[in-house]
Amino acid sequence: RRAFLCGESFEHRPEWVEDKLLAEVFCIDVAAYAVMSNHYHVALHINVSQAGKLSDLEVIQRWHQLLKGSLLSQRYYRDEILLKAEQDVLAGIAATSRKHLQDISWFMCLINEGIARQANKEGQCAGRF
């Protein structure tokens, strides 16, 4: 739609980018970033050791900050009793979520989607940045 993310009358939007980049949900460290009028740059480091130290519950908690998760992970998050078969499935969900928390593609996708949603709501329009 040829719109600027930041710039004239959108000086408050760089803060949106900063807030999302520095949220610390992912196991990705932001080494540096720069927000321009129509794009931003980031230098990232995947923190594999941090991801490895997280318990399955911590992984699920972080993932639920980003997306609502599956019914099974929601039950686990609420500390409901799970059958052995459900625990086995949940272990797979946690392993997949742990990989996603270290994935730059997931990181960028969710940041960009969140920023676009905020900008679209503010501008009462649709589209992506």
Side-chain angles (χ1 to χ4, degrees), residues 1 3-6 13 16 38 112 115-120 127-129:
R1 67 179 159 184
F4 286 102
L5 173 60
C6 308
R13 289 183 177 174
W16 295 355
N38 64 345
N112 290 336
I115 292 166
R117 285 182 187 275
Q118 281 182 276
N120 289 341
R128 63 184 208 114
F129 284 96

Side-chain angles (χ1 to χ4, degrees), residues 25-27 50-67 69 73 76-77 90-102:
V25 175
F26 280 84
C27 297
Q50 178 190 27
K53 293 176 185 174
L54 295 176
S55 69
D56 284 354
L57 179 59
E58 290 170 320
V59 168
I60 297 298
Q61 287 171 334
R62 284 177 180 233
W63 196 246
H64 283 197
Q65 290 179 48
L66 302 167
L67 302 169
S73 68
Y76 177 70
Y77 184 72
L90 183 72
I93 291 170
T96 300
S97 298
R98 186 182 312 273
K99 287 179 187 175
H100 291 332
L101 290 175
Q102 303 171 72

Side-chain angles (χ1 to χ4, degrees), residues 80-91:
E80 293 181 18
I81 297 173
L82 302 179
L83 301 171
K84 173 65 173 130
E86 292 173 321
Q87 292 172 7
D88 293 342
V89 171
L90 183 72

Side-chain angles (χ1 to χ4, degrees), residues 5 17 20-22 26 28-30 32-34 39-46 63 66 100-116 128-129:
L5 173 60
V17 177
K20 294 203 180 294
L21 284 173
L22 305 176
F26 280 84
I28 295 177
D29 301 322
V30 178
Y33 66 92
H39 68 285
Y40 62 94
H41 294 272
V42 290
L44 304 171
H45 170 260
I46 300 170
W63 196 246
L66 302 167
H100 291 332
L101 290 175
Q102 303 171 72
D103 189 311
I104 291 174
S105 294
W106 274 93
F107 179 79
M108 295 304 298
C109 177
L110 292 174
I111 285 175
N112 290 336
E113 179 183 350
I115 292 166
R128 63 184 208 114
F129 284 96

